[in-house]
Amino acid sequence: MPMPTSATEAPIARTVQVIAHRGASALRPEHTLAAYAQAIADGADFIEPDLVMSRDGVLLARHENEIGSTTDVADHPEFAARRTSRQVDGETVSGWFSEDFTLAELKTLRARERLPQWRSTQYDGQFEIATLEEIIELAASASAGRARPLGIIPEIKHGSYFAGLGLAMEDRVLATLAEHAWTRTASVVIQSFEVGNLRYLRRRLGDRHPNIQLLQLLGDPHEQPWDRRAAGDTLDYTRMTTTPGLRDIAGYADAIGPHVRAILPLDATGRFAAPTTLVRDAHAAGLEVHTYTFRPENHFLPPSLWQGDDPATFNETGCITEIRAALDAGIDAFFTDAPAIGRKAVDERGGP
């Protein structure tokens, strides 16, 4: 991993972008139209739908294809027999899976809060699962007359897994983007933790779609992109953050997406240590850095920033402090569950 450095770094992006992580997911159930609408109202520059597939080939916004933890599917006796276990990216997962349901069936379900131990459940049961097309339509409508440009940053989840089911997402994503006038000109960034699908998308896009960029997400250092692991490759995320690794990424992607701790490590007391060189190294390779994820509850913040001792406390001050430390390290964009806080952190700080 990059070593700590005391030097500061400036972003290479013209302006630092606030990305609504799964919508305003600290305030509404994630990946619902209500969460995206709240994020847009709160000043997000981008909204982020994670994408999975239905049995009939529709792109859906869910963080995982296992939908038992984020919907009321367990309360539907007509779907009880569909509970099963699957191997997803090398892990055994049990529950209900999006690929076993048609869109019509999925539309009978309602979203639930994924983190009820830290967030309100008052909106459980109110909102449908959203499709990518519905999210694009919402964003296009909200963009009309909006002073601040709005973009969309979809993530392809479990790309190799879905391709193995005959439900490859990459061409479907491009086709959906091409079908809508708004996404033919609005800023679009396509993300993945895998490598092969981003390389494929780069070949497909070429130089013909300047509004679409690609983002290579980076997992924990010891982990591997699943498609590389499945192919028997030894490539891991540690190698991908070396100077040669970053240069290789720059050959097919426009940005990297590391976890915030890859930029802002903590010392033994739970305080920020010196930033690593990752942002500087990525910038030197011509890559922007879009880091994840800033959340406002104590539980997700460094211990030194907690307010009180309740992990569920909504801690705006601590969240802003952490975001600004990352801004000082030179990031170009960041994912946050609370885009209103992210907007405040950027606007009150000033600068690019």
Side-chain angles (χ1 to χ4, degrees):
M1 287 293 291
M3 297 300 293
T5 176
S6 59
T8 58
E9 175 74 13
I12 60 174
R14 186 167 51 188
T15 57
V16 175
Q17 303 291 293
V18 178
I19 302 170
H21 185 240
R22 314 176 196 174
S25 50
L27 304 177
R28 301 290 187 274
E30 66 187 32
H31 290 315
T32 60
L33 293 180
Y36 295 121
Q38 186 66 53
I40 294 167
D42 287 346
D45 297 300
F46 282 84
I47 55 175
E48 186 215 22
D50 294 329
L51 300 178
V52 300
M53 292 285 279
S54 70
R55 187 173 71 193
D56 47 351
V58 179
L59 291 161
L60 310 165
R62 292 284 93 189
H63 181 253
E64 295 295 335
N65 56 322
E66 197 292 299
I67 58 175
S69 61
T70 58
T71 75
D72 62 358
V73 64
D75 296 337
H76 287 250
E78 68 272 26
F79 299 138
R82 297 194 200 179
R83 193 178 196 282
T84 187
S85 296
R86 296 272 165 78
Q87 284 285 316
V88 182
D89 294 0
E91 302 291 334
T92 301
V93 182
S94 298
W96 290 263
F97 295 85
S98 65
E99 62 268 24
D100 293 334
F101 294 79
T102 65
L103 177 62
E105 290 172 328
L106 290 164
K107 282 293 189 179
T108 68
L109 308 180
R110 294 297 178 266
R112 285 182 171 174
E113 172 56 49
R114 187 175 66 90
L115 301 172
Q117 64 272 53
W118 297 302
R119 293 177 177 168
S120 172
T121 59
Q122 65 175 310
Y123 296 104
D124 283 7
Q126 296 189 28
F127 308 125
E128 295 181 353
I129 291 178
T131 67
L132 177 59
E133 289 189 353
E134 290 169 339
I135 295 163
I136 291 172
E137 290 166 2
L138 170 69
S141 176
S143 292
R146 189 176 190 256
R148 186 186 304 277
L150 179 65
I152 187 170
I153 181 166
E155 179 187 344
I156 295 173
K157 302 290 294 189
H158 309 302
S160 295
Y161 172 84
F162 277 106
L165 299 176
L167 293 169
M169 284 188 273
E170 290 73 21
D171 287 330
R172 285 175 169 86
V173 170
L174 294 182
T176 302
L177 296 174
E179 288 169 0
H180 292 264
W182 183 72
T183 41
R184 290 197 290 270
T185 58
S187 292
V188 177
V189 181
I190 303 174
Q191 326 165 63
S192 178
F193 279 99
E194 295 191 357
V195 174
N197 57 358
L198 291 179
R199 291 185 181 276
Y200 171 78
L201 288 167
R202 175 55 66 206
R203 293 192 297 271
R204 284 290 315 276
L205 291 167
D207 298 323
R208 301 181 301 278
H209 303 276
N211 67 307
I212 301 178
Q213 295 186 311
L214 302 179
L215 169 62
Q216 177 66 68
L217 292 166
L218 302 173
D220 291 340
H222 65 280
E223 294 178 339
Q224 293 183 263
W226 173 249
D227 61 324
R228 297 299 84 211
R229 178 180 166 190
D233 195 337
T234 59
L235 180 69
D236 60 19
Y237 292 117
T238 295
R239 279 176 52 195
M240 293 174 73
T241 60
T242 63
T243 296
L246 292 167
R247 288 175 180 164
D248 184 57
I249 292 171
Y252 62 87
D254 304 282
I256 59 169
H259 190 277
V260 63
R261 290 295 159 256
I263 296 168
L264 296 175
L266 302 180
D267 64 21
T269 69
R271 292 176 170 78
F272 294 123
T276 70
T277 61
L278 180 56
V279 175
R280 182 192 301 174
D281 296 343
H283 287 171
L287 294 163
E288 291 188 2
V289 178
H290 301 189
T291 192
Y292 65 89
T293 304
F294 296 97
R295 296 181 167 107
E297 295 86 5
N298 271 345
H299 174 79
F300 301 105
L301 291 166
S304 61
L305 299 181
W306 278 39
Q307 291 182 343
D309 57 7
D310 183 350
T313 293
F314 191 94
N315 182 354
E316 177 176 325
T317 300
C319 190
I320 287 176
T321 299
E322 186 178 35
I323 291 171
R324 287 181 177 165
L327 294 174
D328 289 343
I331 62 169
D332 303 281
F334 61 93
F335 295 81
T336 177
D337 288 7
I341 293 176
R343 180 84 273 144
K344 183 176 181 180
V346 172
D347 291 350
E348 292 186 358
R349 176 179 178 270

